[in-house]
Amino acid sequence: ISSFDQYAGCPFMYLLNRGLGVEERDYATMWDDARVVGKMLHRILAQLHKQVHQIDGRWKRLNQHKYQSIALELCDEEFRRQSGFGNDFIYPMWKELQEWTRRALSVFVDQETLFYSGYELYKSEGALQAVIDERSGIHGRVDRVSEKDGHAVIVDYKKGKAPTRAEVYQEEFLPATSQLPLYAHALETEGCRVSNAAYYSIGNGNYKHMLLDSDAPIERTEKPGRAMVAPEEFNELRERIISALSSAAEQISRGDFRISESCKSCDFRA
């Protein structure tokens, strides 16, 4: 899915990066490794939901404190594991990151309990795929899909801020990310009814819904916030993205990697 987003943004960048393996070198001084940290957070959250599924079958409000303890144990275990691999950086920063992660996980359990009590895990860090036509298809890995009462929610974790409406929906152009609409399409080919698609900001400690049908069985005791797009907009966008993906596959088959019109912010410009 990220490959399609890159091709849609600029076919020539796609050719350089995905086809020829050209990457930008970053010489900035970093006190941590964003990729390592991101994988750690995703792994902890995936294991948390898998353990809850094994223990209770579904997320139960009454067991919130037990889930808090599980999350903190998983956090400490993951940090010990990464230290054993030599991925721990400067100690004060590493310890601060661990404490930040523990606090963030505690907030996550609270937020999950507020909105998604009763949901059962369907996929966690699981593969999704669907055939579009003879030349194109969807291949991706979804952070989490949970189900309740015949409805599915897609959750994508973000360490920082969740995308804005402008980044996920454009009336005349393709959005910066096609992730959730394509995940929804792939899940519906599996027979799932997707009524909710959301980003969870680990740093901000809140859910931001891209799609939220009125009949989605989330907890309504707390206001979930207004969805970024209406259900009609989401479905229209999904169909538009599917059509663009099919066209992109046809262009790639013809070797069409013409450069985008705007190169001002491109890392690959000469």
Side-chain angles (χ1 to χ4, degrees):
I1 291 174
S2 59
S3 297
F4 167 68
D5 286 336
Q6 188 174 48
Y7 185 88
C10 179
F12 189 63
M13 179 185 285
Y14 170 91
L15 173 64
L16 291 176
N17 187 222
R18 306 278 177 168
L20 302 178
V22 178
E23 295 182 351
E24 181 188 21
R25 292 186 177 182
D26 189 355
Y27 295 98
T29 301
M30 302 295 291
W31 300 111
D32 61 9
D33 189 323
R35 290 185 180 181
V36 170
V37 174
K39 288 180 180 179
M40 288 173 63
L41 293 170
H42 279 71
R43 191 156 37 236
I44 293 168
L45 291 171
Q47 287 302 316
L48 171 61
H49 275 278
K50 287 177 181 178
Q51 288 200 24
V52 169
H53 181 70
Q54 291 171 357
I55 295 169
D56 290 332
R58 56 188 174 85
W59 194 279
K60 295 182 178 180
R61 180 181 296 276
L62 293 177
N63 291 342
Q64 179 178 354
H65 294 299
K66 180 169 68 174
Y67 302 156
Q68 295 272 8
S69 298
I70 293 172
L72 297 182
E73 289 174 7
L74 289 170
C75 174
D76 293 342
E77 180 183 337
E78 180 65 20
F79 272 80
R80 285 194 297 269
R81 179 172 174 269
Q82 293 302 323
S83 293
F85 291 153
N87 287 328
D88 50 331
F89 29 86
I90 299 174
Y91 179 75
M93 300 294 292
W94 182 253
K95 191 64 177 177
E96 182 179 332
L97 175 64
Q98 184 174 1
E99 292 303 317
W100 177 89
T101 303
R102 287 172 64 90
R103 293 192 298 270
L105 288 170
S106 180
V107 173
F108 173 79
V109 172
D110 291 342
Q111 290 294 304
E112 194 71 10
T113 304
L114 277 176
F115 296 114
Y116 294 110
S117 290
Y119 272 79
E120 182 178 355
L121 183 67
Y122 179 70
K123 287 180 184 285
S124 181
E125 294 292 324
L128 281 178
Q129 56 185 8
V131 175
I132 301 301
D133 54 35
E134 67 277 4
R135 284 180 174 165
S136 62
I138 299 169
H139 301 275
R141 184 166 292 275
V142 65
D143 289 346
R144 190 180 97 236
V145 180
S146 296
E147 290 185 311
K148 180 181 179 181
D149 300 336
H151 293 258
V153 56
I154 305 169
V155 177
D156 187 62
Y157 302 126
K158 299 296 182 186
K159 181 177 182 292
K161 294 180 179 179
T164 63
R165 173 181 164 87
E167 291 173 309
V168 300
Y169 183 81
Q170 296 281 336
E171 291 185 2
E172 299 181 3
F173 306 98
L174 291 175
T177 173
S178 305
Q179 205 170 23
L180 295 186
L182 288 178
Y183 285 160
H185 180 82
L187 282 166
E188 291 191 357
T189 64
E190 295 183 9
C192 295
R193 179 186 178 188
V194 178
S195 59
N196 185 199
Y199 296 98
Y200 182 79
S201 169
I202 300 172
N204 292 339
N206 58 23
Y207 274 101
K208 190 172 183 180
H209 301 273
M210 180 180 180
L211 168 71
L212 183 58
D213 284 353
S214 59
D215 58 349
I218 72 169
E219 295 290 331
R220 305 283 175 170
T221 53
E222 293 287 332
K223 291 184 179 180
R226 185 178 179 182
M228 287 187 274
V229 301
E232 301 78 24
E233 292 176 319
F234 187 86
N235 292 331
E236 178 274 327
L237 176 63
R238 181 176 59 186
E239 293 303 316
R240 188 151 40 97
I241 290 172
I242 292 297
S243 176
L245 193 154
S246 180
S247 297
E250 196 276 330
Q251 288 175 272
I252 291 173
S253 71
R254 291 190 284 105
D256 186 350
F257 300 101
R258 284 174 290 180
I259 200 165
S260 174
E261 293 181 3
S262 177
C263 301
K264 291 182 180 180
S265 61
C266 179
D267 295 330
F268 292 88
R269 70 186 187 280

